Amino acid sequence: MKNLKSCCLNDKFSHVYVEERALSYPLTDKILDRFEKSEKIIIKHYKDVFCRPHQDFQLQKASQKLILAVKEDNFLYKGADLCQSFGNSNFYYTSTVLNCIYNCDYCYLQGMYPSAYITAFVNIDDFFDDVSSKLEKGPLYLTISYDTDLLSLETLLPFTSMWLDYAAKNPGLTLEVRTKSSNFKSVSHIESISNVVLAWTLSPQCIIDKHEAPSPSLESRLKSIAAAIDAGWNVRLCFDPVIMTDNWQTVYEDFISRVFSVLPYNKINDVSIGSFRMSCDYLKRIRKQRNDSALIFYPFECKDGIARYPAQIEKSLLDNMVSLVSEYIEKERIFL
């Protein structure tokens, strides 16, 4: 059955859907040049494909397609309570790309979006204009890679480098690029930018193997981080989410020891730590779609619309991580 399924699926990005109005944007041409072998399909509106009923998110993950579209409004969103602001009061996030090439079990996107297809908004100048208008009122903290992993897509969709170029010209902006990728090489030709933070999400290898396939290994991420640090970039480490697993104390102790045996901890900008948390509505939808992950069916507690580990378990996980990390990083640079 597995072989039958694979032979019935098209290759990843075998098709690119393009909105009619997206055809006039130079970025569309630049992206399409990278998909010469893909079949191009012109559509009226991206939601005609992205929001179709009865889609199978997990099946689409195995054969993702690309949609090029024009976003009409809501270019920036106020940072959600579940997201860490790192002490920044004027905190926003933006999504020039929807969906991710990875397929982590705990990812909220599979409960948030009806489709696993990657949608890229080619009118990036409109995003820049919105940021610029807000910068006129004061400094802004903006994260650009919550609803995707931009750096992992850089060789296909050049959004990270475009955002970096914009940040370099706007010192009032602090930009965070969060990633699980080992793809620093795709932007390594760019000189480090003082108001940009490259933030890597890290997990023990056993968690990566079990819950983050097919994302890069821990060792390949560490190699990429080390290269970024050597190049002078501000680097944030994100131990988030911390996952309950067999022998979790030993697993995370060995993990943190390995991370800081490779990385120069005195050159880490700061660290974020968080445990599993997700909208209860998203979790309910995910459970209806898949039965292949014990993590998804853990008996989380749902309070105020958010699913989390029971309070005592969450406290144990977070306290343990803070204790381990604080052996290397001052507590003032650890954010929960």
Side-chain angles (χ1 to χ4, degrees):
M1 180 63 72
K2 184 177 180 180
N3 291 337
L4 178 61
K5 180 180 177 180
S6 63
C7 75
C8 292
L9 294 173
N10 290 310
D11 293 335
K12 191 178 286 287
F13 304 126
S14 61
H15 295 71
V16 179
Y17 297 90
V18 186
E19 279 189 349
E20 288 180 346
R21 56 186 174 167
L23 292 170
S24 62
Y25 286 82
L27 183 54
T28 297
D29 294 331
K30 186 174 182 178
I31 292 172
L32 289 177
D33 286 344
R34 303 182 181 193
F35 292 90
E36 292 181 353
K37 297 181 180 180
S38 301
E39 182 176 347
K40 316 307 187 294
I41 302 172
I42 308 303
I43 57 176
K44 289 285 187 181
H45 197 280
Y46 81 93
K47 289 184 178 180
D48 295 340
V49 175
F50 193 77
C51 296
R52 291 175 297 177
H54 310 302
Q55 298 186 84
D56 187 316
F57 192 97
Q58 291 303 316
L59 190 60
Q60 289 180 340
K61 270 289 184 180
S63 180
Q64 279 182 300
K65 307 297 182 283
L66 175 64
I67 305 172
L68 302 182
V70 175
K71 190 168 177 61
E72 298 168 340
D73 51 24
N74 297 321
F75 301 105
L76 301 186
Y77 303 94
K78 285 291 290 183
D81 292 338
L82 291 180
C83 303
Q84 291 158 327
S85 65
F86 300 94
N88 296 279
S89 57
N90 202 20
F91 166 39
Y92 286 82
Y93 75 95
T94 189
S95 299
T96 44
V97 175
L98 309 180
N99 273 323
C100 180
I101 59 171
Y102 305 136
N103 193 25
C104 301
D105 288 359
Y106 53 76
C107 182
Y108 65 90
L109 296 179
Q110 57 191 320
M112 180 177 179
Y113 293 141
S115 172
Y117 289 177
I118 289 178
T119 298
F121 296 112
V122 296
N123 55 323
I124 192 168
D125 285 340
D126 291 330
F127 289 81
F128 294 157
D129 289 344
D130 200 1
V131 176
S132 294
S133 67
K134 286 181 171 56
L135 284 173
E136 292 177 358
K137 303 174 184 178
L140 179 71
Y141 176 76
L142 179 67
T143 182
I144 63 171
S145 196
Y146 270 177
D147 295 338
T148 187
D149 189 318
L150 278 187
L151 190 58
S152 71
L153 291 164
E154 181 65 13
T155 54
L156 301 175
L157 305 172
F159 285 92
T160 302
S161 56
M162 297 177 77
W163 275 111
L164 295 180
D165 180 66
Y166 177 81
K169 300 171 183 175
N170 292 273
L173 172 68
T174 299
L175 193 74
E176 186 208 64
V177 184
R178 189 168 296 204
T179 186
K180 284 187 175 81
S181 79
S182 56
N183 198 31
F184 172 70
K185 60 183 178 294
S186 67
V187 295
S188 61
H189 62 285
I190 301 173
E191 289 191 15
S192 61
I193 303 167
S194 61
N195 57 320
V196 171
V197 178
L198 301 182
W200 267 272
T201 298
L202 298 176
S203 299
Q205 187 59 50
C206 64
I207 298 295
I208 293 172
D209 292 339
K210 191 172 183 180
H211 299 300
E212 296 184 4
S215 66
S217 68
L218 173 61
E219 294 302 317
S220 62
R221 295 185 209 182
L222 292 177
K223 183 178 180 181
S224 199
I225 296 169
I229 292 173
D230 287 344
W233 289 87
N234 297 316
V235 166
R236 170 174 294 147
L237 303 183
C238 304
F239 304 121
D240 186 4
V242 180
I243 298 295
M244 173 65 68
T245 189
D246 293 339
N247 303 314
W248 63 269
Q249 289 173 308
T250 300
V251 165
Y252 279 95
E253 182 178 356
D254 292 345
F255 163 58
I256 294 300
S257 177
R258 178 57 184 165
V259 168
F260 291 113
S261 71
V262 174
L263 302 179
Y265 50 84
N266 60 319
K267 294 184 179 180
I268 300 299
N269 198 58
D270 51 38
V271 169
S272 74
I273 299 173
S275 62
F276 177 94
R277 58 208 180 277
M278 184 187 293
S279 159
C280 294
D281 289 338
Y282 293 169
L283 182 61
K284 183 184 294 186
R285 291 175 200 162
I286 295 169
R287 284 174 170 172
K288 290 179 179 179
Q289 295 173 13
R290 53 186 304 185
N291 58 7
D292 59 337
S293 172
L295 172 61
I296 291 302
F297 287 91
Y298 185 91
F300 297 107
E301 290 185 350
C302 193
K303 184 178 180 181
D304 298 327
I306 305 300
R308 322 180 81 113
Y309 286 115
Q312 191 56 49
I313 291 178
E314 181 177 77
K315 184 177 186 303
S316 295
L317 290 170
L318 296 180
D319 286 351
N320 182 68
M321 283 297 290
V322 170
S323 176
L324 293 171
V325 173
S326 61
E327 293 184 20
Y328 306 92
I329 304 292
E330 298 93 333
K331 287 191 176 180
E332 304 82 64
R333 292 192 287 137
I334 299 175
F335 294 85
L336 293 171

